[in-house]
Amino acid sequence: MLLTMLMLIPLIGSIAVFLLPPAKDLLAKQIALGFSLATLVGSVLMVLGLDNSAGGLQHTESYDWIPAFGISWTLGVNGISASLIVMAAILVPVVIVAGWWDAENSGRGNVKGFFSLILVLEVFVIGVFSANDLFLFYIFFEAMLFPIYFLIGKFGGPQRAYAAMKFLLYSLVGGLFMLASLIGLYVVSARELGQGTFDFETLTTLNMDSATQKMLFLGFFFAFAVKAPMVPFHTWLPDATAEATPGTSTLLVGVLDKVGTFGMLHFLLPIFPEASKFYAPAIIVLAVISIFYGALLAIGQTDVMRLIAFTSISHFGFIVLGIFVMTSQGLSGSSFYMVNHGFSTGALFLVMGYLVSRRGSKRIADFGGVQKVAPILTGVVLISGLSGLALPGMSSFISEFLVLAGTYAVNPTAAIIATFGIVLAAVYILWLYQRMMTGVPSKEVEETVSEISRRELVAIAPILAIIIALGFVPQVALNVINPAVEQVQTYVGVTDPEAAVGIEGSGS
Amino acid sequence: MKVSIEYQALAPIIILLASGVLSVLVEAFIPRTFRRPIQLALVLASIVLAFAYVVINASALVIADPASSGGQIKGLRELAASGAVAIDGPGMVVQGIILLVSFVAALLLAENSIDPQGDAFASRSSTLPGSEDERQFTAQGWLQTEIWPLFLFCVGGLLLFPVSNDFLTMFVALEVFSLPLYLIASMARRRRLLSQEAALKYFILGAFSSAFFLFGSALIYAATSSVSFSSVAVAMENSSQDGLIIPGIGMIAVGLLFKVGAVPFHQWVPDVYQGSPTPLTAFMSAATKVAAFGALLRVFYVAFGGMRWDWRPVMWVIAILSMVIGSLLAVTQTDIKRMLAFSSVAHTGFILLGVISTSAAGLSSTLFYLLAYAFTSVGVFAIVGLVRDASGEATHLSQWAGLGKKSPWMASIFGLFLLALAGIPLTSGFTGKFAVFTAAVDGGATPLVIVAVVASAVAAFFYARVIVLMFFTEPPADGPSVVVPSAFTTVAIGICAAFTVLLGIVPQPVLDLVINAGLFLR
């Protein structure tokens, strides 16, 4: 019941906000914030209640929903999904505070709608990470699109309708291929067990022949690759983030896109172990291409929000890389990377959003010399940026290192090539910092860019603190994640290669 | 041979046809001013009564044929009228759906407050469009209450169509429901020339397809010496007359596929859907399609079930063409009624997946899809009829811009229907698609499902485009508005929306119903 209750909190909050009489905008914001904080408390309690000695699903619950199709309301979390839920639960109140005036500033749509949608989104996000009935997962996977679609389409920038539509269509097409595979999986399970099922743990026990596995794998992988997004299915992301409000972008890239990589890790590997191993080399190549393509395009961007979107494509390349090398370091690195990336990208989007809303422009060339007029804001940008380039001491460094170490053990070539991605990360972040923050401030910058406000600082400070704290004591998160990673390895039937032991020793 | 009439089993059909006759008498003898309320009461009462009989029949505990379903079947299961009509589980489900949809459609037909001049039908359809006569009759507030007897005969024919157990009864039923439709289609109050053109087109093509059906029946009779489905099926197994049987099956298929609007027999669909009075479009898009699919299922499962290896490849091609062409052409439309018409063609393709499966799962999933689609389709056209400007309905897509701002409720419900048509989870359309796709994969039609998925993706685009237009675009200065309808339309839309949501969230009871309906009686 715990997870259902956890979903109910934001759901009630969203309905309450929606039903408020008009002209109660302030109250709507306060209620939204209150419910999102309550959800945060609930999710932290949920993680503390996990037994870290076991890797299986915990807090499980299961009720029949549509027995005719073997569909049930089955929820459960392991360390990976639980940490992603907490990450989301932290980001939602942060986004609410950071986007306190976003709805008014967009000049369209109502304030209640904005905050109501954010809370609805939180319901679906908790659902998608805790669903362990594949059909239920699919429902949440699709349902998530709509709050985001409206958040972009109603509150975004000038090209918002185009961006929202592109986002929706890419995701729907991906989702439909997943649906086709889902139906195939159902029929396979019905033939083998007599009664079809979508239950995750039952599906991992199926004995599918490898041809079927390879077919069904592709449908799921396509949906997840669009969502993640990986090159070449990524073109919707820069458009969406360029038009969405910074808060929406944070939730979109920081939380929603994780569903893609989470799906690969949590569903694809355990259910299709043979196919995963078969496709792994090809996917690793795609991942490495994503790392470089994202980074190179990030360097070439003139729009700061698009730049951050491309850095994320590069980061998702690392995450996918870690998943498909299937070593314990790679997998736990990727899981941890998902959490860290949520925070570091969120911080970048939000702080750049502060700057953009002051200057009224997203063009990097319109800035310059901000550090002279707003030193504290510049400091925040610097920390967020350094987290984005995975500087040692930041949590993102740990995860990137784990991914690369885990990759080296089985595929040294990919690891060595991917390492150069770090150099490019330094280029795009530091060059961005140099162009926007250093130099002599122009007249417009002096006039428009003011120091960070207390509300803005309160919003972003918690994530910066978490980034640094997890950089020094990553074990807090890794202890929760590692049992789940071992479970995934058991499902796939892989063990770490012998050499990995030595690397683990020297690495730690 | 003594002819037997099983009155209880046939009651729904008899009630509707008898009310039709009564309704003609009302037209003849009751003064003009009282006709509308009396007709309306008669129509609604007879539909409710017929539905009650369907429910009674369906729950009557008669165990007729336990072997075919592997267990006991609840509900009436008998051949009525000396074997001309088969009352069985699937047949009664289809009848129930037709009656429910007809009830909702009757409410829409009765709506008289959205057009300032009266209801959706010409004040007198015998007057020339644009003539002085027309203007005068309209000014005097004349109403064409003759639509009600036509409607009742039409529903009666629709009820008979899916339970017909031989080709001749089926042909009679086909004509009984088609002729009133041709007539009512020509009676729109606004844009009468368009309406008459549509009706003529519908009539000529419809007559043509009826002829195909009849010719096909004759060929089958020549080959098997029978028109009864079960004896045709038996005779075909031992027959070597493929030269007659194969063209016979083909021609009967043409007749039925025309009625469901499958490509390449779909040309009438956009014109008729666009030109007809919108409440009738709502009725046709749902009830006719349901009845025609009921008949198609019975013919291809019972009579031609043994020949499925011969007709399946053709049905594959037709299903693929319907899905692909329906979806692609819908993208290019600028008129909302035409867009929905092409979307209905695409849906025909999806439903054909269930037919092709030729399994128990295929049958039950098709029935579920029909129920889900029927209500969504009625609802969507009901709202199309509400968006009006001074000259009548505003059906050009550009006129729909910004409706979400002017009337958020109606636009939201319309969005709900569109999402259901697109097959988005938690709507009835998704459950239906899921059921049909699953049955098709199980029946070995995986490539078809992949085509269906791609077509769904294309379809999602044009549905989403309308939503974008309604919610994210600024309304034009002189745009149309959503008229506030009377209780008739409001109730109708409410029922449709409720079904669309409930069948998406808690479909289990209805799934149980269609699964327990069992197989066709042979």
Side-chain angles (χ1 to χ4, degrees):
Chain A
M1 280 308 283
L2 185 71
L3 291 165
T4 308
M5 300 287 276
L6 195 57
M7 288 166 71
L8 276 180
I9 303 173
L11 181 66
I12 294 169
S14 140
I15 295 170
V17 169
F18 185 76
L19 291 180
L20 278 180
K24 291 269 185 193
D25 288 350
L26 180 63
L27 186 63
K29 293 172 185 178
Q30 288 163 341
I31 291 178
L33 182 59
F35 274 95
S36 66
L37 288 173
T39 316
L40 174 58
V41 171
S43 61
V44 169
L45 290 177
M46 183 267 297
V47 169
L48 293 178
L50 283 180
D51 174 8
N52 285 337
S53 61
L57 296 171
Q58 301 180 38
H59 297 310
T60 50
E61 51 184 293
S62 184
Y63 309 96
D64 274 353
W65 179 17
I66 311 177
F69 296 141
I71 297 168
S72 61
W73 179 270
T74 303
L75 302 181
V77 287
N78 60 18
I80 300 170
S81 45
S83 50
L84 286 170
I85 291 175
V86 173
M87 185 263 286
I90 294 173
L91 282 179
V92 169
V94 164
V95 163
I96 289 178
V97 175
W100 203 251
W101 301 108
D102 278 357
E104 282 92 339
N105 290 344
S106 78
R108 289 171 303 269
N110 57 8
V111 176
K112 286 189 306 175
F114 185 74
F115 291 97
S116 183
L117 282 172
I118 289 181
L119 288 176
V120 170
L121 184 63
E122 188 171 19
V123 177
F124 295 149
V125 164
I126 298 173
V128 82
F129 285 130
S130 56
N132 274 290
D133 179 289
L134 247 72
F135 189 89
L136 194 61
F137 172 78
Y138 174 75
I139 297 255
F140 285 124
F141 186 85
E142 294 286 54
M144 281 186 328
L145 303 180
F146 290 91
I148 285 282
Y149 173 68
F150 283 102
L151 282 171
I152 300 174
K154 275 187 111 68
F155 303 95
Q159 294 289 313
R160 61 189 185 285
Y162 167 77
M165 189 76 172
K166 191 168 177 183
F167 159 75
L168 187 72
L169 288 179
Y170 263 80
S171 305
L172 278 180
V173 170
L176 282 167
F177 278 93
M178 179 162 139
L179 175 64
S181 282
L182 204 60
I183 291 171
L185 193 57
Y186 173 77
V187 172
V188 169
S189 75
R191 288 201 183 135
E192 195 170 319
L193 308 170
Q195 156 74 27
T197 181
F198 287 101
D199 181 60
F200 165 66
E201 287 186 314
T202 317
L203 288 174
T204 57
T205 62
L206 289 181
N207 293 313
M208 268 180 278
D209 61 90
S210 65
T212 318
Q213 278 201 22
K214 285 173 192 165
M215 287 266 293
L216 298 178
F217 179 95
L218 283 183
F220 281 101
F221 182 76
F222 179 64
F224 293 149
V226 168
K227 183 68 92 180
M230 284 181 79
V231 176
F233 312 115
H234 65 284
T235 63
W236 61 270
L237 184 72
D239 288 326
T241 55
E243 298 307 324
T245 65
T248 309
S249 297
T250 303
L251 294 176
L252 176 63
V253 182
V255 182
L256 254 77
D257 289 354
K258 298 292 156 30
V259 179
T261 44
F262 171 76
M264 294 177 194
L265 177 58
H266 189 72
F267 292 119
L268 276 186
L269 261 48
I271 297 179
F272 308 108
E274 271 185 54
S276 304
K277 284 180 220 162
F278 175 79
Y279 287 115
I283 294 172
I284 288 174
V285 170
L286 264 187
V288 173
I289 293 175
S290 282
I291 294 174
F292 277 87
Y293 186 85
L296 289 173
L297 261 73
I299 295 173
Q301 293 306 307
T302 55
D303 175 314
V304 56
M305 292 302 185
R306 292 180 72 91
L307 186 147
I308 304 173
F310 278 108
T311 70
S312 293
I313 291 169
S314 178
H315 289 154
F316 278 112
F318 278 107
I319 300 176
V320 174
L321 180 65
I323 292 173
F324 278 91
V325 296
M326 299 182 209
T327 55
S328 60
Q329 283 173 323
L331 289 169
S332 60
S334 288
S335 311
F336 192 36
Y337 208 136
M338 286 192 239
V339 176
N340 294 329
H341 175 258
F343 292 128
S344 65
T345 304
L348 265 179
F349 270 124
L350 293 177
V351 73
M352 288 306 170
Y354 295 165
L355 279 169
V356 167
S357 70
R358 284 168 165 72
R359 179 68 180 80
S361 163
K362 290 182 292 198
R363 280 168 46 83
I364 296 171
D366 286 343
F367 293 88
V370 173
Q371 63 178 5
K372 297 263 175 17
V373 287
I376 303 177
L377 186 56
T378 307
V380 173
V381 171
L382 185 62
I383 300 175
S384 318
L386 292 179
S387 165
L389 69 76
L391 188 79
M394 306 286 181
S395 59
S396 39
F397 168 72
I398 314 282
S399 45
E400 205 154 292
F401 181 79
L402 280 172
V403 166
L404 290 173
T407 308
Y408 190 83
V410 291
N411 194 337
T413 324
I416 292 168
I417 299 175
T419 308
F420 285 101
I422 301 181
V423 179
L424 292 177
V427 173
Y428 59 67
I429 290 291
L430 294 178
W431 194 34
L432 175 77
Y433 183 83
Q434 186 197 359
R435 281 181 292 172
M436 290 181 71
M437 300 299 157
T438 60
V440 183
S442 67
K443 201 162 132 285
E444 290 84 1
V445 169
E446 270 184 341
E447 278 170 6
T448 53
V449 178
S450 52
E451 189 51 277
I452 192 167
S453 76
R454 186 176 296 168
R455 170 183 64 80
E456 289 168 334
L457 195 57
V458 166
I460 206 164
I463 21 181
L464 296 183
I466 292 172
I467 289 171
I468 295 171
L470 284 180
F472 283 97
V473 278
Q475 285 306 327
V476 179
L478 289 174
N479 283 344
V480 178
I481 288 171
N482 283 335
V485 165
E486 284 166 25
Q487 179 77 24
V488 171
Q489 281 195 310
T490 319
Y491 277 135
V492 189
V494 289
T495 48
D496 289 338
E498 291 299 320
V501 179
I503 285 174
E504 198 168 41
S506 64
S508 56
Chain B
M1 188 176 83
K2 186 179 176 296
V3 174
S4 66
I5 300 289
E6 286 74 5
Y7 285 100
Q8 186 179 344
L10 296 173
I13 302 166
I14 296 172
I15 290 170
L16 262 297
L17 294 178
S19 319
V21 174
L22 206 61
S23 175
V24 172
L25 295 178
V26 171
E27 285 298 315
F29 295 108
I30 305 284
R32 183 167 297 280
T33 44
F34 300 117
R35 280 185 208 164
R36 185 180 136 88
I38 291 178
Q39 293 284 24
L40 204 54
L42 185 63
V43 167
L44 294 181
S46 59
I47 291 177
V48 169
L49 191 62
F51 186 71
Y53 261 104
V54 170
V55 173
I56 291 168
N57 287 345
S59 55
L61 193 68
V62 177
I63 301 139
D65 190 3
S68 69
S69 73
Q72 292 186 342
I73 294 182
K74 210 171 165 228
L76 205 56
R77 206 171 151 74
E78 65 174 340
L79 292 177
S82 303
V85 176
I87 302 293
D88 51 16
M92 283 186 288
V93 170
V94 173
Q95 283 189 331
I97 301 173
I98 293 171
L99 285 167
L100 285 171
V101 171
S102 302
F103 185 84
V104 177
L107 294 176
L108 294 178
L109 290 165
E111 175 65 55
N112 63 352
S113 68
I114 54 180
D115 193 318
Q117 296 178 357
D119 55 18
F121 301 94
S123 50
R124 246 190 139 177
S125 55
S126 54
T127 56
L128 278 176
S131 65
E132 180 62 19
D133 276 356
E134 182 197 40
R135 209 186 51 74
Q136 279 187 4
F137 279 115
T138 306
Q140 291 165 20
W142 281 49
L143 292 178
Q144 190 94 50
T145 44
E146 286 84 352
I147 59 157
W148 295 114
L150 291 172
F151 178 72
L152 284 170
F153 283 123
C154 178
V155 177
L158 287 174
L159 287 182
L160 180 59
F161 197 44
V163 294
S164 310
N165 200 34
D166 64 47
F167 286 113
L168 284 184
T169 314
M170 191 168 264
F171 178 73
V172 171
L174 179 77
E175 291 302 310
V176 169
F177 80 75
S178 294
L179 289 171
L181 284 179
Y182 301 145
L183 274 171
I184 309 179
S186 71
M187 290 188 188
R189 181 179 287 271
R190 311 281 186 149
R191 299 189 189 125
R192 289 187 58 197
L193 286 176
L194 199 63
S195 164
Q196 290 175 359
E197 182 197 326
L200 192 65
K201 213 172 213 167
Y202 191 19
F203 172 67
I204 292 173
L205 289 176
F208 205 54
S209 79
S210 299
F212 267 98
F213 184 89
L214 202 56
F215 197 7
S217 312
L219 290 180
I220 295 289
Y221 180 73
T224 64
S225 316
S226 173
V227 287
S228 157
F229 293 165
S230 42
S231 20
V232 164
V234 174
M236 274 183 178
E237 280 178 18
N238 314 316
S239 170
S240 56
Q241 304 259 28
D242 273 4
L244 290 174
I245 291 175
I246 302 291
I249 294 178
M251 287 186 166
I252 286 172
V254 168
L256 292 172
L257 289 171
F258 174 85
K259 284 294 166 195
V260 299
V263 177
F265 315 109
H266 69 290
Q267 268 89 356
W268 62 277
V269 176
D271 291 337
V272 174
Y273 278 26
Q274 185 190 18
S276 301
T278 306
L280 185 79
T281 310
F283 176 66
M284 266 194 309
S285 72
T288 314
K289 190 165 273 202
V290 172
F293 262 110
L296 189 73
L297 281 169
R298 187 178 295 279
V299 169
F300 279 87
Y301 275 49
V302 178
F304 303 151
M307 304 286 290
R308 61 174 163 279
W309 300 110
D310 291 297
W311 56 258
R312 228 191 225 162
V314 183
M315 283 294 194
W316 270 55
V317 174
I318 289 174
I320 291 175
L321 285 177
S322 301
M323 292 186 287
V324 171
I325 293 182
S327 304
L328 287 181
L329 289 184
V331 173
T332 64
Q333 299 305 314
T334 53
D335 182 284
I336 190 132
K337 279 170 96 175
R338 288 184 80 84
M339 189 201 91
L340 290 170
F342 280 108
S343 114
S344 129
V345 172
H347 278 278
T348 299
F350 295 137
I351 305 174
L352 280 175
L353 289 190
V355 179
I356 290 169
S357 308
T358 50
S359 61
L363 178 57
S364 63
S365 62
T366 309
L367 293 178
F368 185 90
Y369 200 119
L370 288 174
L371 177 64
Y373 175 74
F375 278 100
T376 312
S377 185
V378 171
V380 100
F381 281 108
I383 296 185
V384 167
L386 295 181
V387 181
R388 309 178 77 96
D389 58 16
S391 66
E393 285 167 13
T395 55
H396 198 275
L397 270 178
S398 64
Q399 294 173 295
W400 282 61
L403 274 185
K405 296 219 168 53
K406 290 189 203 163
S407 15
W409 273 105
M410 271 311 166
S412 303
I413 296 177
F414 194 73
L416 168 75
F417 290 140
L418 289 181
L419 292 181
L421 289 176
I424 302 297
L426 301 183
T427 62
S428 60
F430 176 75
T431 321
K433 259 189 193 157
F434 184 81
V436 169
F437 289 3
T438 309
V441 172
D442 200 25
T446 311
L448 267 187
V449 172
I450 291 172
V451 175
V453 162
V454 175
S456 304
V458 176
F461 169 72
F462 59 79
Y463 295 123
R465 194 176 55 178
V466 179
I467 298 181
V468 169
L469 206 58
M470 288 195 304
F471 287 100
F472 302 156
T473 328
E474 292 305 317
D478 54 345
S481 56
V482 176
V483 182
V484 178
S486 70
F488 288 121
T489 303
T490 316
V491 169
I493 293 175
I495 294 175
C496 293
F499 266 93
T500 303
V501 172
L502 286 179
L503 292 183
I505 297 176
V506 278
Q508 188 60 36
V510 178
L511 284 169
D512 284 340
L513 180 77
V514 293
I515 291 168
N516 291 337
L519 298 176
F520 284 116
L521 179 58
R522 280 159 201 276

